[in-house]
Amino acid sequence: LGTASNYNVFLSGNYRQTIHNNVDAGDGNGVLAVGGNYDVGVSASQKCASATVAGNITGEIHGTVYQGVNNNVDFESAFDELKSTSATLATVDTSEGATVENRYGTVTFTGTNTDVNVFTLTLEQWNELKGGSAGTSQSAEQGLYFNVPDGSTVIVNIVGAGPVDLTFNWGATYSSTGQLTSGNKYGNSKVLFNVPNGNNIVIGSGVGSLLAPESDIVPSNYAPYNAHYEGQVIGRSFSGN
């Protein structure tokens, strides 16, 4: 993921916090880079290890801040590379023998490759698996299970225009290593969701890295106060809590 590998949140555009309370990005240790403006809100503050901001800052950031001329990230070049990577990944077909299905409310990805298992889905196929439109409680109340050889990487391509729901409030499991949470960073690091088109993506209780360089990211209507994501978030903008 190039330059973005160094950050929890990497955006080409604006970051806007919409709920007026204190937020700890990355449990207070997050490293964020924003190519546009960074709006924490006038009555709120945010705690992080560092924030690199190309534009203006509204509100208070508790952490090291690199702003304007002190910003050392070439966002344009980085996102040109990320868009190319995202588009290339999206052309890869589903791995031979790999399957994905909804089993009793859990979206289950099954693959046998010991290195990389790719699952390429249209947005229509993804919505059918999720069982509801993006941001609804019906689609949020789902589990996620990656039934793959331990140590293998999972790439999930979701291709097509429209809202993308990445909420899994029933939790997620990677292979035999157990739940994908902050206590299982190894498993989280093995999962990449790639959304190459310009979409509106809703997150809440999500896991894995999210590569969506053309997309705007917002919290789910199901959990508007907790856009919680265990992994990297790479997108065009973020607005929410």
Side-chain angles (χ1 to χ4, degrees):
L1 298 176
T3 303
S5 298
N6 300 316
Y7 300 90
N8 297 100
V9 177
F10 195 72
L11 305 175
S12 62
N14 298 329
Y15 174 102
R16 177 173 174 264
Q17 184 175 305
T18 57
I19 305 298
H20 292 277
N21 62 2
N22 297 326
V23 175
D24 291 350
D27 295 329
N29 297 307
V31 183
L32 304 95
V34 177
N37 298 322
Y38 196 119
D39 184 357
V40 185
V42 293
S43 62
S45 64
Q46 184 166 66
K47 184 190 297 181
C48 60
S50 71
T52 298
V53 184
N56 298 321
I57 297 175
T58 301
E60 188 175 9
I61 299 175
H62 298 284
T64 303
V65 177
Y66 306 97
Q67 184 185 12
V69 295
N70 295 318
N71 160 38
N72 57 1
V73 175
D74 185 342
F75 286 96
E76 183 176 359
S77 176
F79 271 87
D80 283 346
E81 183 178 344
L82 288 166
K83 290 173 185 178
S84 176
T85 298
S86 180
T88 300
L89 287 175
T91 64
V92 181
D93 293 332
T94 298
S95 300
E96 184 177 358
T99 62
V100 55
E101 58 184 326
N102 192 318
R103 297 179 181 174
Y104 309 105
T106 295
V107 179
T108 300
F109 295 86
T110 300
T112 60
N113 195 296
T114 57
D115 185 21
V116 181
N117 291 279
V118 179
F119 303 86
T120 298
L121 306 167
T122 66
L123 181 56
E124 289 75 16
Q125 290 172 321
W126 178 255
N127 287 337
E128 184 176 352
L129 284 165
K130 287 286 286 170
S133 60
T136 67
S137 59
Q138 180 184 9
S139 60
E141 293 176 349
Q142 299 283 341
L144 185 63
Y145 178 44
F146 297 104
N147 180 25
V148 296
D150 195 20
S152 63
T153 296
V154 174
I155 299 173
V156 179
N157 294 313
I158 303 174
V159 182
V164 177
D165 185 356
L166 290 180
T167 55
F168 291 95
N169 289 338
W170 286 357
T173 303
Y174 170 84
S175 187
S176 60
T177 60
Q179 287 294 104
L180 290 177
T181 65
S182 56
N184 185 7
K185 291 182 173 63
Y186 170 79
N188 291 333
S189 70
K190 294 294 181 180
V191 176
L192 173 68
F193 282 93
N194 176 44
V195 184
N197 304 106
N199 301 77
N200 197 65
I201 299 177
V202 294
I203 61 174
S205 300
V207 294
S209 291
L210 171 58
L211 175 59
E214 301 269 21
S215 295
D216 300 311
I217 301 167
V218 298
S220 168
N221 292 333
Y222 183 72
Y225 304 110
N226 186 20
H228 184 80
Y229 204 88
E230 295 280 357
Q232 287 180 284
V233 174
I234 301 167
R236 181 168 59 189
S237 71
F238 175 81
S239 178
N241 209 33

